[in-house]
Amino acid sequence: MTPKELKAQYRNERLAARDTIPADERIAKGLAMAAHGGDAIDVRPGTIVSGFLPIRSEADIQPLMARLRERGARLCVPVILDRSTIVFREFVPGVSLVPVGFGTLGPGPDAAVLDPEVMLVPLSAFDKTGHRIGYGAGHYDRAIDRLHQKGLNPRLIGIAFDCQEVPSVPAEPHDVRLDAILTESGLDFVSEAIG
């Protein structure tokens, strides 16, 4: 099996497992993520953090984002501009949300576009070494690459449920490792970049 085929298999299996989590349990697990990460993620006043609004059966990290905002973080969320490009628009309390692609909502075109310093990255599967499998469209890979091309090196924190862990993600040359993984069980650092 090629790395691409194995990634597709893991993606399908782990998303199917995530889909079986009842909605009330997903809420509880999202709150646990906020409890584990809300004070442990290194942010200072003004740090730009990209989060996301949940789609399908993703963890709802809005409580975590609210805690980071209380600590002074400036929040943004991804917006799909076209089939291959996402940008991160500022997400402030009370902002009107509009459809922004991939089945999600976000701030409209009047919102400021920000370059995140910390990225809370949704994913379909991960391993303990910080390798991730996204949803297959490559949006985050390209966004991270664009930030690197600007000379920026955002800290990457994968967001997933425990059931999305796999033994080993086949890493390809373009893959960028996560610095940490946040699940309902805790925040695990996989490099010294954050810890």
Side-chain angles (χ1 to χ4, degrees):
M1 188 175 289
T2 68
K4 187 174 184 172
E5 291 169 337
L6 185 55
K7 282 184 174 182
Q9 177 182 324
Y10 279 155
R11 180 182 299 113
N12 292 337
E13 289 173 358
R14 296 303 87 213
L15 290 179
R18 187 182 79 184
D19 288 345
T20 67
I21 302 171
D24 59 334
E25 278 186 44
R26 283 199 308 271
I27 292 169
K29 291 173 188 284
L31 292 171
M33 289 178 187
H36 294 305
D39 291 324
I41 295 171
D42 183 20
V43 296
R44 291 170 182 72
T47 300
I48 299 171
V49 177
S50 69
F52 57 89
L53 301 176
I55 58 171
R56 301 186 300 248
S57 58
E58 284 179 342
D60 184 351
I61 62 165
Q62 290 178 87
L64 171 61
M65 292 165 56
R67 177 63 188 132
L68 296 175
R69 176 180 282 121
E70 288 171 4
R71 293 180 51 217
R74 189 174 177 192
L75 300 178
C76 54
V77 294
V79 172
I80 298 174
L81 294 182
D82 57 45
R83 294 185 66 79
S84 64
T85 306
I86 60 173
V87 297
F88 298 91
R89 289 186 184 154
E90 188 164 21
F91 183 63
V92 295
V95 68
S96 294
L97 301 178
V98 299
V100 292
F102 218 66
T104 190
L105 300 173
D110 292 340
V113 173
L114 305 176
D115 289 331
E117 299 165 81
V118 176
M119 296 176 73
L120 305 177
V121 182
L123 46 86
S124 60
F126 69 94
D127 67 23
K128 286 284 190 207
T129 67
H131 290 102
R132 65 178 274 276
I133 300 172
Y135 294 134
H139 288 116
Y140 273 87
D141 292 325
R142 285 187 296 278
I144 293 164
D145 184 57
R146 276 193 310 281
L147 291 168
H148 287 169
Q149 288 177 25
K150 289 181 172 184
L152 304 173
N153 190 28
R155 292 171 284 154
L156 307 175
I157 302 173
I159 304 292
F161 296 116
D162 289 333
C163 69
Q164 293 173 255
E165 184 179 349
V166 297
S168 179
V169 170
E172 297 180 83
H174 65 274
D175 291 333
V176 178
R177 270 185 41 182
L178 300 166
D179 297 298
I181 298 161
L182 177 61
T183 71
E184 69 270 26
S185 295
L187 179 64
D188 291 323
F189 297 102
V190 293
S191 76
E192 298 304 315
I194 300 178

